[in-house]
Amino acid sequence: MEDKLDIIIIGAGLAGLTLRQPGALISTLASPAGTFADKVRMLGLKLKLTGKSIDEIFTGSETTTMAYLHDAGFSQRMIGQFFKPFMTGIFLEDKLSTSSRMFEFVFKMFSQGDAAVPAKGMGMIPLQLASSLSSNEIAFGQKVVSIDANNVTTSAGQVHSATSILIATDQLEIPDPFRKLPYSYHSVTNMYFTSTAKPYDKPLIALNAMSGKLVNNIAVMNRIAPAYSKNGDALISLSLIGDHSKADNAQLQGQVLREMLAWFPEAMQWKHLKTYHIGYALPNDDQVINVPGNDAIRLTEQCFICGDHLLNGSINAAIKSGRLAAEAIISGQK
């Protein structure tokens, strides 16, 4: 992992907010993103969640994140200029209808630890998992269309048989007869640019608090992980919430750069690298849990399922569900 991340807000003054470092207390309290009372409530929330276990969070009362923030007494200014842009970038929805359990979990994690990225990219996670397998244990480019007892049928008509079958896809790719459309999920578009000059020189997530904006947050990735840029140019990541896949990419790129001009005068000189439209980025997290029911992982005698959609939209939940599914399979084979 590389350098840790903090948060700044654009559109409301460049205001730093951090709750992990005691030395940053004065700057946090002086931030224009909310009132003094908001900052005191923020510190109180941090202390409350520090003493609350993950199990207590996911078995506690549940409402929407927006209702939770209002009930906690935060001002509209604090919600609009900090919590809404910050949590929108995490939940990938701007109504903050996501479960308050998920908010407590995320806020606890951010306030107690550092946000980071793998030094060689997120792709290293699946590569690490696959490294212990031989090449003939993975079949690429085959789409599973149905499962019947111990048999898996692909779109090419091939049938593979196994003692146990584990479905490890997102909800949209679950094969018949276990698919239960329609599913509710959230989308995001990520744009990447390079520039000889960094928009800012600290390991920060910049939040766009302006109303009607396209870009929700910005990060200079090689300021966090230097290896992300081979020549030292800035690798700039912009996140746009929602499904923008039907927009003209050139027009969308122009809109984004014109929006960025308000804070970064050199934005029109940024060089576009690539745009990714991620349709299924997160499952709907309006109701979440952290322990699956007895029948959630085992679909039939032979077929099992895992994925964050069974629990809550996070890498933590994806890994946990995979471990529980593996344990269920091993237990059934004894």
Side-chain angles (χ1 to χ4, degrees):
M1 294 292 178
E2 291 289 348
D3 211 345
K4 63 188 178 184
L5 285 160
D6 282 325
I7 303 157
I8 61 173
I9 303 168
I10 61 176
L14 293 179
L17 284 174
T18 178
L19 291 175
R20 294 191 305 274
Q21 303 171 22
L25 177 61
I26 300 301
S27 62
T28 295
L29 295 178
S31 165
T35 67
F36 180 82
D38 283 324
K39 313 306 167 53
V40 173
R41 291 187 182 95
M42 178 92 79
L43 294 173
L45 180 61
K46 169 185 164 61
L47 294 174
K48 169 189 170 182
L49 296 179
T50 296
K52 198 170 183 179
S53 70
I54 301 299
D55 287 339
E56 288 173 328
I57 286 175
F58 282 102
T59 57
S61 59
E62 188 173 34
T63 184
T64 67
T65 294
M66 183 64 79
Y68 181 95
L69 294 172
H70 282 299
D71 291 345
F74 289 106
S75 69
Q76 283 297 118
R77 181 180 178 184
M78 188 66 172
I79 292 173
Q81 293 188 354
F82 175 68
F83 282 115
K84 190 172 182 181
F86 181 40
M87 302 316 298
T88 292
I90 295 171
F91 298 154
L92 305 185
E93 56 91 6
D94 61 6
K95 306 299 182 185
L96 299 195
S97 62
T98 295
S99 168
S100 56
R101 293 175 179 174
M102 203 63 193
F103 169 77
E104 286 197 332
F105 170 70
V106 169
F107 194 89
K108 177 181 176 71
M109 295 297 100
F110 268 99
S111 62
Q112 289 183 221
D114 295 326
V117 294
K120 295 184 180 180
M122 293 299 289
M124 292 304 296
I125 296 176
L127 287 177
Q128 186 181 55
L129 293 173
S131 63
S132 61
L133 300 173
S134 62
S135 59
N136 62 0
E137 290 181 283
I138 303 177
F140 293 102
Q142 299 190 37
K143 181 178 177 62
V144 173
V145 294
S146 66
I147 298 173
D148 182 17
N150 294 88
N151 299 318
V152 173
T153 303
T154 71
S155 57
Q158 293 180 315
V159 178
H160 302 270
S161 299
T163 303
S164 299
I165 299 166
L166 175 61
I167 300 172
T169 72
D170 65 46
Q171 290 169 295
L172 301 184
E173 299 301 325
I174 295 174
D176 290 332
F178 305 110
R179 187 179 305 175
K180 299 176 182 178
L181 296 174
Y183 293 108
S184 178
Y185 55 92
H186 302 305
S187 305
V188 68
T189 289
N190 290 110
M191 280 190 179
Y192 289 90
F193 296 85
T194 60
S195 172
T196 54
K198 293 184 177 67
Y200 47 84
D201 198 39
K202 294 183 179 180
L204 299 168
I205 299 174
L207 306 178
N208 190 349
M210 297 294 286
S211 61
K213 83 282 183 138
L214 269 173
V215 177
N216 183 79
N217 55 70
I218 311 155
V220 181
M221 298 306 298
N222 60 307
R223 182 55 190 85
I224 305 157
Y228 280 30
S229 174
K230 293 182 179 180
N231 62 2
D233 286 355
L235 175 61
I236 303 163
S237 171
L238 309 179
S239 293
L240 290 67
I241 307 306
D243 184 0
H244 298 273
S245 60
K246 295 180 181 179
D248 179 270
N249 277 341
Q251 291 183 1
L252 186 64
Q253 178 185 327
Q255 287 178 279
V256 164
L257 291 178
R258 286 191 292 273
E259 186 173 281
M260 291 295 94
L261 280 175
W263 301 283
F264 309 114
E266 72 284 0
M268 295 307 291
Q269 277 71 56
W270 294 354
K271 180 182 178 182
H272 178 254
L273 282 181
K274 196 161 185 177
T275 295
Y276 295 90
H277 299 291
I278 306 170
Y280 187 104
L282 275 179
N284 181 290
D285 275 338
D286 287 358
Q287 284 85 42
V288 297
I289 55 175
N290 201 40
V291 179
N294 293 331
D295 59 347
I297 286 177
R298 189 166 199 156
L299 300 176
T300 67
E301 189 67 23
Q302 304 88 4
C303 190
F304 300 78
I305 190 170
C306 65
D308 61 353
H309 55 88
L310 299 176
L311 304 173
N312 56 82
S314 66
I315 293 177
N316 306 59
I319 292 174
K320 180 173 182 176
S321 72
R323 174 177 59 80
L324 293 174
E327 290 173 354
I329 292 172
I330 292 170
S331 176
Q333 292 178 346
K334 290 180 178 179

